Each structure stands twice: as structure tokens, then as C-alpha cells.
Amino acid sequence: MTALTKSRVGWAELPDHVRAAVQEILGDRVVEAVSQPGGYSPGSADRVRTASGRRAFVKAVSPAQNPDSPRMHRAEARVAAALPASAPTPRLLGCHDDGDWVALVFTDADGRHPATPWRADELATVLSTLEAMAVALTPNPVSHAPTAAEQLAYDFAGWHRIAADPPARLDPWARTHLDELRAAADSGLAALAGDTLCHVDLRADNLLVDPAGAVTVVDWPWACRGPAWLDTALLLVNVRLHGGHDTEALLRRLPLTADVDPDALTGTYAGLAGYFTDAARRPAPANIPTVRAFQQAQADALLPWLATRLR
């Protein structure tokens, strides 16, 4: 994975008081910081080492980098503080929030993003991790988490916005199936009931594989309560995007998705495709110029799959 933002703030560029607050959380002076690639936040993302050898991961952002990113960091801090130790996630060590800068300090996960296109062995390990994660996060341990239907309501209404104002370059198949896509997405949203805490933004750059092969799931600002199968189904969008695997066969074989109503899965993918198609035509967010192309690529990967599933 390469850096997906226009520019990323580094540890040395953080204000002195933010670095001081992080060092207070760590109880020591930071002597080394290595910026990490991947992801779409223009804020900092550094693996740090203190004078005593302690390691941690620090991410910090202010509205100057992107006006929405501090809100996302605050949301992630609230979720991370409530995650159980049994979940395959970093532990939150502390949070600094001065009303402008928000800095999160996590335990360090010594790993790299899975290779894309996905390797079969890494995909199997990640899918197994998601099964264990669903068990660890059921019942939902984050009392304030919204439902998946609440979290994704705007996103899954994408086809309604497209039907009201179709983009000039709308996929020809989608243009002739807008009514069907809107109905499927509405049905998919209604099917997202459950009491599992779901990540809902799973892709390779939100996963780390350590040297022993263990997987850590990072970046939880969008967490919500939904069905145990949701994160596995969403990860397969990333797998399909990068190619090399039969995602339809995986849906039928995987324990979390094998017995799910096919219409619920189709509706979920229809909702996502509508969101990606609608979002991709919008102006790029501040300092994140590549996200619209990525959203379009995900829509392009999903639409042929939907055309098959909706026959």
C-alpha cells in the first residue's frame, strides 16, 4: 500500500503541546517516529519509540488538515476505549483533545498491510480473524454505538440521489436498473439488524499482519451494531476490487455468510455500490484527492457482481 493522501503530517510537524501530551501519555520522551503509509487521513500516523524503548502508534489531526477528521478521531477514541482485550485490535493508551488537535495513542501493532491482490493464505487468515472478532464483539460492547441501519442510512440512499440527478457517466447497466438498485439497497439496509459491533470499513489498509501471521484490525471511527456477517461481506468488496478470488464462492463457503439470506447480501452490495457511485462524483475532500477515484473503482468492481446477483 502507498500513501493515499496528498500529504501527511509527520510527528515533527505536530505542535509542541501535542507532542508533549503524547509523551505524557507514554510516560517518556519520543526519540524516533516513523510515518506509516496507507489510509486516507491527512493527519499524522507514526510508529514511535521512546527513550526507554517503549513502542506505540500515534495518530493526530486538526481541522487544518481536514475539517471532518478530528470528529472521526474522537469517534474512534470512544469506540477504542470500550473494545475488549479479546478483540484483535490495538489498545487505546490515551487521547489528547484540546478542541483543535486530537491525538490518539495506541499500543503498537508490529505488522504490514496484507498484499493486494490478496494472497490466498493471508485472505484465509484475515477471514478467520473476522470470525473470531465477531464472537469477541457479540454482544456489542460499545453502548453508544449506532445501529448499522443508522450509520449507513445516508450511504445506502445513494441510488435515490443518483436517480434524482444522474451523473453523465453513469454505468449504462446501472442507468437502466435504477429502480431495482434502489429497492435492493432499501431492502439491504433493513437487513442490517444485529448485536455485533461491526467495523464497516474493512479493506487491506485497515488490517495489519504481524511476522507471526496474526491480524490486527485498526481504524474504528465508523463502528456500529449490526449482523455478525457484515464485516466479512464488506471485506469481500476489497477482495473483488483487487481480483484473483471467486468472491461468490467465498460467500457460499464462509461460516459467517453461508446461511445469510442472499437478498440481504445483494441489498448490502447494492447499498454500497450506490454510495460509491454517488460519492465518486463529488469534489474531493480537503487533502484527500485520491479517495474519489478509489470510490469509483469500488463501484466499478461491485456493479458487474450486482448485475449477476440481480438476474
Side-chain angles (χ1 to χ4, degrees):
M1 302 291 294
T2 56
L4 303 175
T5 57
K6 180 178 180 180
S7 60
R8 170 160 280 166
V9 175
W11 168 259
E13 299 169 273
L14 299 180
D16 290 346
H17 75 278
V18 175
R19 285 185 282 131
V22 169
Q23 291 174 131
E24 184 175 351
I25 290 169
L26 292 172
D28 199 359
R29 178 171 55 92
V30 170
V31 297
E32 181 183 57
V34 180
S35 184
Q36 301 302 293
Y40 287 92
S41 172
S44 73
D46 293 282
R47 293 181 66 191
V48 304
R49 178 175 59 84
T50 69
S52 62
R54 186 180 188 184
R55 294 186 178 275
F57 175 74
V58 179
K59 56 195 296 186
V61 75
S62 77
Q65 289 78 52
N66 179 276
D68 297 320
S69 292
R71 174 179 54 83
M72 293 170 60
H73 276 33
R74 292 183 180 107
E76 182 174 8
R78 291 192 297 271
V79 171
L83 291 173
S86 57
T89 63
R91 306 276 75 78
L92 180 68
L93 300 176
C95 174
H96 164 78
D97 187 347
D98 58 28
D100 184 32
W101 282 91
V102 184
L104 309 184
V105 185
F106 291 95
T107 54
D108 184 36
D110 181 15
R112 57 171 178 78
H113 300 304
T116 51
W118 283 79
R119 287 171 23 189
D121 60 333
E122 290 185 348
L123 178 58
T125 300
V126 168
L127 291 169
S128 178
T129 298
L130 295 187
E131 289 180 44
M133 187 172 81
V135 172
L137 298 180
T138 306
N140 160 53
V142 181
S143 60
H144 68 270
T147 67
E150 291 168 338
Q151 185 76 287
L152 298 174
Y154 177 84
D155 298 353
F156 275 41
W159 291 119
H160 291 276
R161 295 188 292 274
I162 290 166
D165 180 22
R169 297 183 180 180
L170 182 61
D171 177 90
W173 177 84
R175 188 180 296 274
T176 59
H177 290 80
L178 282 175
D179 288 345
E180 196 173 1
L181 286 165
R182 282 187 293 177
D186 291 347
S187 176
L189 188 68
L192 298 183
D195 194 31
T196 299
L197 186 71
C198 302
H199 182 284
V200 301
D201 195 23
L202 276 175
R203 52 183 195 258
D205 59 292
N206 281 337
L207 298 162
L208 294 171
V209 182
D210 73 15
V215 176
T216 302
V217 183
V218 302
D219 293 343
W220 286 79
W222 307 112
C224 56
R225 289 181 285 125
W229 52 264
L230 182 56
D231 279 337
T232 294
L234 297 184
L235 180 74
L236 294 185
V237 176
N238 193 252
V239 175
R240 191 170 187 91
L241 170 66
H242 292 290
H245 299 272
D246 186 341
T247 50
E248 190 66 39
L250 285 168
L251 279 178
R252 294 193 297 267
R253 176 171 59 81
L254 294 172
L256 286 176
T257 57
D259 296 325
V260 176
D261 180 354
D263 289 342
L265 292 168
T266 301
T268 298
Y269 292 134
L272 289 172
Y275 165 67
F276 292 137
T277 301
D278 180 50
R281 61 179 172 161
R282 309 295 177 185
N287 291 320
I288 317 177
T290 60
V291 70
R292 298 309 189 203
F294 182 56
Q295 289 166 333
Q296 185 61 60
Q298 291 176 100
D300 293 342
L302 277 169
L303 286 172
W305 196 8
L306 281 168
T308 300
R309 293 187 66 91
L310 285 171
R311 284 177 183 168

